[in-house]
């Protein structure tokens, strides 16, 4: 009883993943490529990161990692707001606001 259900769930998940991948890869247009991952986290991309303001937050219980904060910074500089960062990166609202405010100053 469990095996057919599990098999069906795995088949459905695999199919859905294939459809999503095809849509993402097939929908790209020349000249509209995303920058490579190293470009997203280059020295230029992290320029202006508010380390002095973030440092005290890193010592709190259940604090986000510095890598997650760098990711949030890059996304904030690309226009994502504090609510989006807080929701999608599971950041405290205070931290997300700090990053978006600093990113908007740049």
């Amino acid at each position: 009883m469990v095996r057919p259900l599990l098999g069906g769930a795995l088949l459905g998940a695999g199919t859905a993943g294939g459809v999503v991948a095809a849509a993402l890869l097939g929908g790209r247009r020349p000249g509209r490529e995303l920058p490579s991952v190293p470009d997203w986290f280059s020295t230029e991309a992290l320029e202006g990161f508010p380390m002095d303001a973030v440092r005290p937050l890193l010592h709190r219980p259940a604090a986000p990692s510095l890598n997650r904060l760098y990711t949030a910074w890059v996304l904030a500089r690309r226009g994502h707001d504090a609510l989006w960062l807080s929701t999608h990166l599971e950041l405290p609202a205070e931290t997300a606001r700090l990053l978006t405010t600093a990113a908007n100053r740049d």
Side-chain angles (χ1 to χ4, degrees):
M1 175 76 177
V2 173
R3 281 188 174 168
L5 288 174
L6 184 57
L10 290 174
L11 179 63
T15 302
V19 168
V20 169
L24 290 173
L25 294 175
R28 291 189 176 166
R29 296 182 197 139
R32 298 204 64 207
E33 296 291 320
L34 292 173
S36 67
V37 171
D39 292 343
W40 278 47
F41 297 97
S42 66
T43 303
E44 284 180 6
L46 296 175
E47 188 174 312
F49 181 79
M51 185 53 120
D52 291 335
V54 166
R55 189 172 287 116
L57 304 174
L58 295 172
H59 301 291
R60 292 181 179 175
S65 70
L66 188 55
N67 286 335
R68 185 176 300 207
L69 295 175
Y70 285 153
T71 300
W73 172 253
V74 169
L75 293 171
R77 291 189 65 194
R78 292 178 175 274
H80 291 280
D81 64 13
L83 179 61
W84 192 94
L85 295 174
S86 181
T87 302
H88 289 86
L89 297 178
E90 299 177 1
L91 292 176
E94 171 191 3
T95 304
R97 276 192 303 274
L98 183 148
L99 292 170
T100 55
T101 300
N104 290 329
R105 276 191 234 130
D106 281 357

